[in-house]
Amino acid sequence: MGKKVTKAIFPVAGMGTRFLPATKSVPKEIMTLVDRPLVQYAIDEAREAGIKEFIFVTSRGKGALEDYFDNSPILEQELRKKGKDELLETLKATNMESGAIAYIRQHKALGLGHAVWCAKRLIGNEPFAVILPDDVIAAETSCLKQMVEAYEETGGNMVAAMEVPPEKASAYGVLDPKNDMGSVIEAKGMVEKPAPEDAPSNLAVIGRYILAPSVMRNLNQKRQGAGGEIQLTDAIAEDIDQGVPVFGFRFKGKRYDCGSKAGFLQATVAFALERPDLRDELMQYLQDVTSSSNAAQ
Ligand code: G1P
């Protein structure tokens, strides 16, 4: 039912103030989980889901992102000369085909909805994905791929969703469920960062979306929502009234909130523990520090 999704928008214009002073000169999305920048995880996930065109919505100071996805002939030449084939292979994942990647500047920080709207001309009249690189999801099948498969059946709009403790719901976009079918939940509404007493459920929206072109049209209205910002959540919710359904998707996997320091550290440990070259040493270290901190108590 849903059309093929081949374009993805990566909103990366945020200032990353929670990671100052590091983000004074390094874009947050270039910060590394083990040895890969956050944005690489997002790109790999999109590729696995069949995305062919990658659109970054950036802002001042994000130049390092463009360099990251560019070829680096001198580095490659050096590695080749030294016979470092494994490293050359690692670099391959960072190279983008010519024309597959586009950068658009969001000139003013007017909110996530506005950032997505900035990519309007490149999206045209097609469904599109949105990936927020701050949300890193460890999963056997990538979260976006799981969603693409479900979306083929449902069409409409689809957002990744996850139950959160009720007291945390006001940090998220929250779904108002109409029909809970298990992994897919049809929504009758969506609210961005509701006050705790107004949260319609504890089903939070996580940063993966497959959206109908009508959402871009809704964003044209540039209505201000929560926090005075143009909210993507509001533009998606408007679609429900216009007869385009919205589905939450309970993905299989573990989500890390890499927009927070604690989440970033947890993701770093979790991904390092998955690596055969790091696992044993790190595990030993974690055992040592936890037992010595327990002993100190
Ligand atoms: C954004 C969205 C929110 C969503 C969240 C997921 O909020 O506006 O609806 O629940 O991402 O991480 P932000 O975290 O940018 O405040």
Side-chain angles (χ1 to χ4, degrees):
M1 197 179 172
K3 276 202 215 151
K4 219 168 166 40
V5 185
T6 58
K7 296 179 180 177
I9 301 175
F10 301 81
V12 291
M15 287 200 291
T17 46
R18 277 192 267 182
F19 286 92
L20 280 170
T23 43
K24 190 178 168 202
S25 66
V26 182
K28 180 178 60 176
E29 299 75 19
I30 289 291
M31 289 177 31
T32 55
L33 288 178
V34 190
D35 49 15
R36 295 197 302 156
L38 273 189
V39 71
Q40 183 72 54
Y41 290 86
I43 287 281
D44 289 349
E45 180 171 340
R47 278 198 179 122
E48 192 186 327
I51 298 298
K52 303 282 183 245
E53 290 182 49
F54 305 81
I55 303 162
F56 284 80
V57 182
T58 69
S59 59
R60 184 173 292 275
K62 300 279 179 168
L65 266 169
E66 294 194 29
D67 289 343
Y68 179 77
F69 288 114
D70 203 354
N71 282 356
S72 45
I74 296 173
L75 176 61
E76 283 172 31
Q77 203 182 344
E78 280 303 304
L79 293 175
R80 209 163 289 121
K81 247 201 274 173
K82 293 185 175 148
K84 307 233 170 196
D85 295 344
E86 237 175 79
L87 287 178
L88 275 168
E89 201 52 40
T90 309
L91 278 187
K92 264 194 195 155
T94 70
N95 291 347
M96 289 298 222
E97 266 174 59
S98 298
I101 191 161
Y103 301 93
I104 294 193
R105 281 241 176 151
Q106 183 189 25
H107 291 105
K108 280 189 191 159
L110 297 178
L112 177 61
H114 179 259
V116 167
W117 176 84
C118 288
K120 186 175 167 9
R121 287 196 179 80
L122 291 177
I123 294 297
N125 197 28
E126 284 178 45
F128 58 98
V130 177
I131 295 189
L132 309 185
D134 270 3
D135 282 329
V136 174
I137 301 173
E140 218 163 277
T141 302
S142 84
C143 178
L144 191 65
K145 181 158 195 235
Q146 295 174 39
M147 287 172 70
V148 162
E149 283 165 9
Y151 168 81
E152 277 165 12
E153 303 292 318
T154 63
N157 292 291
M158 183 168 276
V159 301
M162 171 180 119
E163 263 92 11
V164 296
E167 68 278 10
K168 298 258 169 76
S170 40
Y172 296 90
V174 178
L175 290 171
D176 188 357
K178 173 173 149 193
N179 185 11
D180 192 335
M181 296 167 274
S183 57
V184 174
I185 311 120
E186 183 167 1
K188 60 174 184 284
M190 256 174 108
V191 196
E192 180 67 13
K193 304 200 171 71
E197 61 277 18
D198 297 334
S201 75
N202 67 334
L203 256 184
V205 176
I206 300 304
R208 303 289 183 275
Y209 307 77
I210 298 176
L211 300 176
S214 46
V215 172
M216 280 293 186
R217 290 197 289 277
N218 300 342
L219 286 168
N220 276 337
Q221 310 300 322
K222 305 221 176 71
R223 285 194 197 94
Q224 284 185 356
E229 296 190 341
I230 299 168
Q231 296 292 355
L232 183 59
T233 299
D234 296 343
I236 301 169
E238 265 181 69
D239 252 15
I240 302 175
D241 302 331
Q242 293 163 11
V244 186
V246 173
F247 301 97
F249 179 77
R250 283 193 184 94
F251 54 93
K252 291 194 181 68
K254 166 108 179 104
R255 174 253 186 177
Y256 296 93
D257 174 11
C258 291
S260 79
K261 283 175 215 169
F264 201 99
L265 289 170
Q266 286 161 17
T268 303
V269 173
F271 282 96
L273 288 175
E274 291 292 314
R275 295 269 296 256
D277 55 332
L278 297 171
R279 187 185 163 81
D280 293 348
E281 206 176 326
L282 180 60
M283 195 70 123
Q284 186 59 54
Y285 173 73
L286 291 173
Q287 274 161 7
D288 291 350
V289 283
T290 43
S291 58
S292 64
S293 84
N294 285 343
Q297 274 168 17

